[in-house]
Amino acid sequence: VMIPSLGRIGGKAALVEVDEALASRDAKIHYMGIRAISNWPDATVAERLIQIAKTDKHRDHQRIARMSILRIAPLPDGRKDADKLKLLQTGMKLAANEKERNYGIKRAAAIRLPETLRFVLPFLDQPEYSKQACQTVVELSHDRQLRDDNKEEFHAALDKVIAITQDEVLIDRANRYKEGR
């Protein structure tokens, strides 16, 4: 019963218990291990989640792991932003459907790098992802330092957002960021 709660706490002692649950042949205990590791508060379990996403026998367990990879990728836990983006990109490669990919695009907004903008830009041209990609581009642009240090790239991206989106709030924000406000 307590195994999923251990996942929210994290740490080495909790991981021992969670790993035991994951290795269990009892389906209910194994599932509790999946829930626990999917609730982990940082990316220390990323490799385990990737393995579950690739190899677990149950599709639902794979889905939970894929979503967890995307959730933990940008978490502030001492990793470099480049490492966060790399994990997010791994999660996006594993993503199995539009919903998962849109979630990954949304989570990218927390990784404040010009490389993140470059990663998100191609999604602007894909109708099933363009709405979320527009939001992420504008959210990345909110970071004045990032925007100012990469002015040409951000202005071009914001112009594209303005041309694509029908969301008046996003258009207003994009215009303000282009004006340096």
Side-chain angles (χ1 to χ4, degrees):
V1 174
M2 298 299 294
I3 293 172
S5 297
L6 289 175
R8 293 195 185 284
I9 297 166
K12 291 179 182 178
L15 191 54
V16 170
E17 296 294 324
V18 171
D19 279 341
E20 241 179 71
L22 287 169
S24 177
R25 292 186 185 264
D26 182 312
K28 288 180 183 178
I29 294 173
H30 177 75
Y31 178 70
M32 290 300 118
I34 296 289
R35 295 305 308 173
I37 203 155
S38 297
N39 290 331
W40 214 257
D42 58 42
T44 57
V45 296
E47 289 304 318
R48 285 174 175 85
L49 287 168
I50 291 168
Q51 199 60 30
I52 292 166
K54 289 179 176 180
T55 64
D56 198 277
K57 296 175 188 173
H58 299 90
R59 288 181 183 234
D60 191 48
H61 297 179
Q62 291 175 359
R63 179 192 57 78
I64 291 168
R66 289 191 305 266
M67 293 297 283
S68 295
I69 293 164
L70 297 170
R71 180 187 64 79
I72 66 170
L75 291 178
D77 58 6
R79 291 173 297 134
K80 294 179 181 179
D81 284 341
D83 294 331
K84 294 175 185 181
L85 180 58
K86 184 177 178 183
L87 180 57
L88 182 79
Q89 290 170 326
T90 299
M92 289 291 282
K93 288 176 186 170
L94 293 170
N97 57 49
E98 183 179 320
K99 180 181 177 182
E100 291 175 11
R101 285 189 219 37
N102 270 308
Y103 182 62
I105 295 166
K106 179 179 180 178
R107 297 296 290 154
I111 306 171
R112 306 298 178 138
L113 292 173
E115 292 83 1
T116 307
L117 176 68
R118 294 177 199 127
F119 172 71
V120 171
L121 280 176
F123 293 106
L124 289 172
D125 298 323
Q126 301 175 46
E128 63 272 30
Y129 307 116
S130 65
K131 182 177 179 180
Q132 185 58 62
C134 285
Q135 291 173 353
T136 297
V137 167
V138 171
E139 191 56 39
L140 286 168
S141 300
H142 181 74
D143 185 315
R144 181 183 292 270
Q145 186 69 47
L146 179 62
R147 187 179 71 233
D148 289 349
D149 289 349
N150 303 279
K151 198 171 205 165
E152 283 184 34
E153 280 185 271
F154 272 89
H155 278 224
L158 290 168
D159 284 339
K160 196 164 189 173
V161 167
I162 292 166
I164 292 172
T165 190
Q166 295 180 1
D167 183 326
E168 294 298 323
V169 173
L170 283 182
I171 292 170
D172 179 57
R173 285 181 69 196
N175 281 318
R176 283 188 289 133
Y177 294 149
K178 283 186 63 183
E179 294 168 5
R181 299 187 288 144

